[in-house]
Amino acid sequence: MLKIDNLHVKLEEEDKQILKGLSLEVPAGQVHAVMGPNGSGKSTLSYVLAGRDGYAVTEGSATMDGESLLDMEPEQRAAAGLFLAFQYPVEIPGVGNMTFLRTAVNAQRKARGEEEMSSGEFLKAVREKAKDLQIDAEMLKRPVNVGFSGGEKKRNEILQMAMLAPRMCIMDETDSGLDVDAMRLVSDGVNALRGPDRSFLVITHYQRLLNHIQPDVVHIMSDGRIVKSGGPELALQVEEEGYGDLLAEAG
Amino acid sequence: MAESAVQIKDVTPQVSGAPKAPDALSARLEALDLPKGGFSAQARADALARLREMGLPGPRDEYWRYTDPRPFSAPVPQAIPIEGKSPDSPLFTDLDRLTLVFVDGAFDEGASDDLTLAGIEIDTLAQADAETDHWARGLYGTLEASGQKPVRRPFATLNTAAARDGVLIRVTGKAAKPVHIIHRRADEAADVMWHHVLRLEDGAELTLLETGMVGARSNGVIEADLARGARLHHITAKRAGHQKLGISHLFARVAAEAQLKCFALSVNGTLMRHESVIDIVGDDASAHIAAAVLGDGKVGPFHHDDTVFITHAAERCESRQVFKKVLKNGAEGVFQGKILVKQGAQKTDGYQISQALLLDERSQFLAKPELEIYADDVKCSHGSTTGAIDEEAMFYLRSRGVPKERAIVFLVLSFLADALEEIEDEVLRGQINDRLEAWLTRRANQ
Ligand SMILES: Nc1ncnc2c1ncn2[C@@H]1O[C@H](COP(=O)(O)OP(=O)(O)OP(=O)(O)O)[C@@H](O)[C@H]1O
Ligand SMILES: [Mg+2]
């Protein structure tokens, strides 16, 4: 599904290399976790995949189903099935959550040549999914992420993910800021979406999330590269020992 | 399209000091057929005398530092073709309201509703002025005259002397429905002056809506007198032609516990200047004034100036100015806003924000916020910002599949939201928002 090969990325504004030859492959239907120390480049990776401005790819490639992501506009990547749940979801005053989400859903459908969702259908679907995530109707009416608590913002990201039904989901620290119950809700939401045609790249600092969302592979990222990959036990090792030995051993 | 839309015959004399332009005034007056007036005769004569004394502003006038006044003083405007049918459906048509239609500034009785409405007395200036007696007699030109200090506003004085029509509304109770003034164009070269006088008696309430297009050039004045506890909501959404010139003045006197709320939506116009002069004279009163402006210099030059002067002369009053301008393709926005807190106006709460969203580097925003405070127990703040589209928000929207053009529409609406919040009525706010959205979307797709 997602294939990243020897990706080198630097900042456009300054001469700072952040990704230094990162390779990673997530086959269809799998969940991969990415862990790594602060500043190792995890969010940068997710931004570059989603198409944020300000980064220059100097070497390497990133493809989804064999198509190069890097030449596409962010909205084209979204329509192609890529979704990024932000580490810090953005507040947009004056734009209703529902209006925004419905526009997004229909823009993607339109881009794929599918029929747009009627407002009735849309409302019904949102209400159902919001209920599962325990997002109340009042929150849906508010402007995008405005006045949402940290945890509510993260739940709103998952609601959007559920509505947009992407095939490749990247989640950047969706678990941080969630209380224990919210973590379960979000995990249930993600697990409900799991299927043979959908893949996940879950960036997290905590093994706890991976108890709920069982990963197929865990990658350890350091200084812009994947330095070690393994099974779920790798996350346990990080939890117990920290990164010190792991990185020393890999480096 | 670099040339000015009017012929400028005025040559400003090189006199230092008082920026008078007497030649311009004579030429301007000559081109006008001044009505004698009935009940307003004295006010008109006084205005003319005041005007001759002050002259029209020249480009060196400090109050006209950012906007060229000459197109407003030129004797006649250049003809502007009548615009085709708007692709937008007319605003407010589904509301229960009383409509008054003005064509090139003249009341069109046949196209208007019957003017009887509970709690409210409506006349048109032209009809009322056939008589020598009218309740507006003591008001017409009065608030305009008192609004000449400390800054002169000669175009308003010209209007008092020369306006032929407008509405005179006296509200005694709660107006049963909103009054909607619709302006239409007929003559390509119409030089329109309209003058409204509004008197809200104790506890009276009125919502006044104004839409449409006015003339090739327009000069409008509203004098609004709010007695104790009165509430006036004024919402304008004029569909301005791209080449249009317009100047308007609102003079409001706000008595104790009264509330004034004004909102203006402005899209296009070559040269627009709106002055609001608000005197808060009674305790516990409030005045809010807001505008959302969209300017695109692509079709022709765009210059939009909002000039506000709010005077607090009583205790525990609140004033709020929210001005937002979205500018692109070399459009220019101006904001001059002043809050004057007089001695004794304790516990004043004055707020002013003016912001521009520049969609490219060629557009510009000039802001001159001012505070002048002579009371010691007040809370006043002002801020002005000029910025571009928030890239973070832009990326967030696009990462969800919202195309770039559509994302800009969302972010422009987001930027304007604070101004629209000033429209209290949810239905009206929704309609203005929809109008804006439709307009922006059409633009985005062009
Ligand atoms: N726009 C930028 N300007 C300057 N430095 C940047 C920029 N973006 C990223 N960096 C730097 O690149 C490095 C990687 O940042 P990134 O946010 O990708 O790390 P991360 O792995 O997500 O960290 P965390 O676990 O704290 O979220 C950091 O050193 C960061 O300071
Ligand atoms: Mg990060």
Side-chain angles (χ1 to χ4, degrees):
Chain A
M1 170 88 62
L2 179 69
K3 188 166 191 284
I4 305 164
D5 189 31
N6 192 31
L7 193 64
H8 286 71
V9 170
K10 70 180 215 25
L11 292 176
E12 233 161 37
E13 296 277 293
E14 49 187 290
D15 201 23
K16 182 171 175 182
Q17 198 74 29
I18 300 178
L19 301 185
K20 303 171 180 174
L22 184 140
S23 298
L24 177 73
E25 191 172 349
V26 188
Q30 291 199 358
V31 174
H32 286 210
V34 176
M35 302 180 85
N38 293 131
S40 54
K42 302 180 299 295
S43 291
T44 303
L45 171 65
S46 69
Y47 285 149
V48 170
L49 292 174
R52 188 186 175 132
D53 281 343
Y55 303 100
V57 176
T58 52
E59 211 184 318
S61 63
T63 58
M64 196 164 84
D65 298 328
E67 276 206 60
S68 173
L69 281 174
L70 303 176
D71 307 326
M72 295 186 212
E73 297 294 337
E75 57 268 36
Q76 293 174 317
R77 301 179 198 206
L82 185 82
F83 180 89
L84 168 63
F86 280 46
Q87 182 172 1
Y88 304 108
V90 183
E91 295 187 10
I92 308 178
V95 177
N97 223 355
M98 287 299 89
T99 315
F100 155 62
L101 189 48
R102 194 175 153 214
T103 306
V105 167
N106 281 335
Q108 290 201 13
R109 288 182 166 225
K110 197 172 162 201
R112 291 194 291 259
E114 297 166 11
E115 203 175 316
E116 294 187 16
M117 229 177 183
S118 74
S119 47
E121 270 177 284
F122 174 81
L123 270 178
K124 190 162 170 277
V126 170
R127 287 212 185 105
E128 236 163 64
K129 297 194 157 78
K131 196 166 157 242
D132 293 343
L133 288 160
Q134 293 186 6
I135 293 176
D136 59 44
E138 192 270 329
M139 244 172 84
L140 292 178
K141 278 193 219 143
R142 272 191 256 162
V144 181
N145 293 324
V146 176
F148 287 33
S149 74
E152 286 170 344
K153 283 181 185 166
K154 297 299 179 76
R155 273 187 277 155
N156 196 31
E157 293 289 282
I158 301 307
L159 173 67
Q160 292 177 32
M161 187 165 94
M163 285 302 296
L164 292 166
R167 293 181 310 121
M168 181 68 231
C169 309
I170 304 171
M171 297 164 58
D172 191 359
E173 293 195 32
T174 302
D175 53 335
S176 56
L178 291 182
D179 65 39
V180 187
D181 295 330
M183 172 103 73
R184 183 172 298 281
L185 283 176
V186 163
S187 308
D188 289 350
V190 170
N191 287 329
L193 287 170
R194 286 181 78 159
D197 297 326
R198 186 170 284 132
S199 310
F200 293 83
L201 189 65
V202 180
I203 298 170
T204 182
H205 285 297
Y206 307 106
Q207 194 273 333
R208 200 174 45 165
L209 176 72
L210 305 179
N211 282 338
H212 297 292
I213 306 172
Q214 294 271 325
D216 297 289
V217 179
V218 174
H219 303 278
I220 307 298
M221 184 165 173
S222 169
D223 194 23
R225 282 187 211 95
I226 301 299
V227 293
K228 194 175 166 94
S229 302
E233 70 285 353
L234 206 49
L236 283 167
Q237 194 185 339
V238 168
E239 183 87 357
E240 277 163 27
E241 304 169 10
Y243 290 108
D245 288 351
L246 259 174
L247 296 184
E249 175 194 320
Chain B
M1 265 206 38
E3 82 268 32
S4 172
V6 294
Q7 307 136 10
I8 300 169
K9 288 184 188 152
D10 171 23
V11 177
T12 311
Q14 299 298 306
V15 188
S16 57
K20 285 188 187 178
D23 293 335
L25 178 59
S26 317
R28 182 77 178 95
L29 289 175
E30 237 165 71
L32 287 168
D33 175 18
L34 296 176
K36 270 207 186 56
F39 79 85
S40 70
Q42 189 58 49
R44 290 175 188 274
D46 288 350
L48 197 57
R50 286 187 285 121
L51 185 62
R52 289 198 198 282
E53 196 267 318
M54 67 178 126
L56 290 174
R60 297 205 279 133
D61 189 313
E62 183 59 25
Y63 211 49
W64 288 85
R65 190 167 177 175
Y66 306 115
T67 299
D68 184 358
R70 288 173 299 183
F72 299 124
S73 30
V76 288
Q78 198 173 60
I80 295 174
I82 304 297
E83 292 78 0
K85 197 175 165 347
S86 168
D88 300 306
S89 53
L91 275 171
F92 311 134
T93 43
D94 51 351
L95 292 178
D96 184 21
R97 77 229 139 103
L98 186 142
T99 55
L100 283 88
V101 176
F102 285 82
V103 179
D104 287 338
F107 181 59
D108 182 343
E109 195 168 357
S112 302
D113 288 338
D114 180 68
L115 301 188
T116 25
L117 186 64
I120 174 169
E121 209 177 301
I122 307 176
D123 293 306
T124 61
L125 174 59
Q127 279 169 5
D129 222 4
E131 310 290 328
T132 52
D133 202 27
H134 193 268
W135 62 261
R137 188 186 171 122
L139 271 178
Y140 184 91
T142 305
L143 298 186
E144 175 266 301
S146 60
Q148 297 293 334
K149 271 185 250 165
V151 189
R152 291 178 155 183
R153 307 172 198 277
F155 291 113
T157 312
L158 175 69
N159 179 298
T160 296
R164 294 192 160 269
D165 216 343
V167 290
L168 309 173
I169 300 181
R170 179 157 67 162
V171 193
T172 47
K174 185 177 181 329
K177 41 183 155 173
V179 173
H180 183 183
I181 296 173
I182 299 171
H183 293 279
R184 290 192 186 137
R185 297 189 60 201
D187 176 357
E188 293 194 336
D191 189 20
V192 176
M193 290 206 204
W194 51 267
H195 194 122
H196 304 330
V197 177
L198 314 173
R199 163 73 187 169
L200 277 72
E201 305 292 352
D202 285 5
E205 281 181 37
L206 173 70
T207 296
L208 182 66
L209 310 169
E210 275 193 85
T211 60
M213 286 186 291
V214 200
R217 179 172 69 179
S218 69
N219 176 334
V221 165
I222 298 179
E223 295 181 280
D225 193 21
L226 280 68
R228 175 179 283 270
R231 300 176 65 155
L232 173 64
H233 289 178
H234 182 237
I235 295 170
T236 24
K238 297 231 178 81
R239 182 191 160 203
H242 275 291
Q243 304 173 57
K244 175 183 161 172
L245 300 174
I247 181 166
S248 71
H249 289 81
L250 163 71
F251 295 96
R253 180 164 63 193
V254 185
E257 292 160 34
Q259 280 184 22
L260 171 69
K261 275 202 146 190
C262 302
F263 172 86
L265 171 68
S266 211
V267 290
N268 295 311
T270 299
L271 182 63
M272 306 292 282
R273 163 118 157 181
H274 297 294
E275 295 190 23
S276 302
V277 186
I278 299 166
D279 282 336
I280 306 179
V281 297
D283 297 340
D284 303 295
S286 82
H288 289 205
I289 174 147
V293 176
L294 298 171
D296 186 348
K298 189 169 155 193
V299 195
F302 176 92
H303 182 99
H304 191 284
D305 176 338
D306 279 295
T307 291
V308 181
F309 200 117
I310 297 188
T311 306
H312 282 266
E315 292 187 24
R316 296 178 306 277
C317 294
E318 188 224 2
S319 71
R320 198 176 156 82
Q321 305 170 43
V322 183
F323 286 83
K324 302 258 187 170
K325 305 197 179 196
V326 183
L327 306 168
K328 75 175 191 186
N329 290 317
E332 293 165 4
V334 172
F335 175 75
Q336 303 189 98
K338 179 157 180 168
I339 305 174
L340 168 64
V341 181
K342 290 197 167 171
Q343 209 173 350
Q346 302 297 13
K347 307 271 185 222
T348 287
D349 181 358
Y351 175 81
Q352 177 196 91
I353 183 87
S354 64
Q355 295 182 304
L357 175 62
L358 305 184
L359 297 181
D360 55 48
E361 276 162 16
R362 293 162 51 220
S363 303
Q364 64 165 338
F365 180 55
L366 300 161
K368 190 180 173 200
E370 278 182 285
L371 289 177
E372 198 178 324
I373 301 174
Y374 298 102
D376 51 18
D377 184 14
V378 303
K379 195 174 89 187
C380 277
S381 66
H382 65 69
S384 182
T385 64
T386 300
I389 286 277
D390 176 357
E391 288 302 326
E392 178 99 11
M394 184 75 177
F395 173 59
Y396 187 70
L397 293 168
R398 293 179 73 189
S399 78
R400 299 303 187 245
V402 178
K404 188 176 177 185
E405 296 69 33
R406 179 67 208 170
I408 292 175
V409 173
F410 273 139
L411 295 177
V412 168
L413 288 171
S414 168
F415 170 77
L416 295 173
D418 289 345
L420 265 71
E421 274 305 309
E422 292 295 323
I423 304 172
E424 210 169 272
D425 186 297
E426 237 174 80
V427 176
L428 296 175
R429 191 187 327 130
Q431 294 200 2
I432 295 276
N433 191 72
D434 292 350
R435 159 59 52 91
L436 259 170
E437 192 169 338
W439 194 87
L440 288 165
T441 307
R442 207 163 50 240
R443 277 281 131 142
N445 296 335
Q446 264 170 13

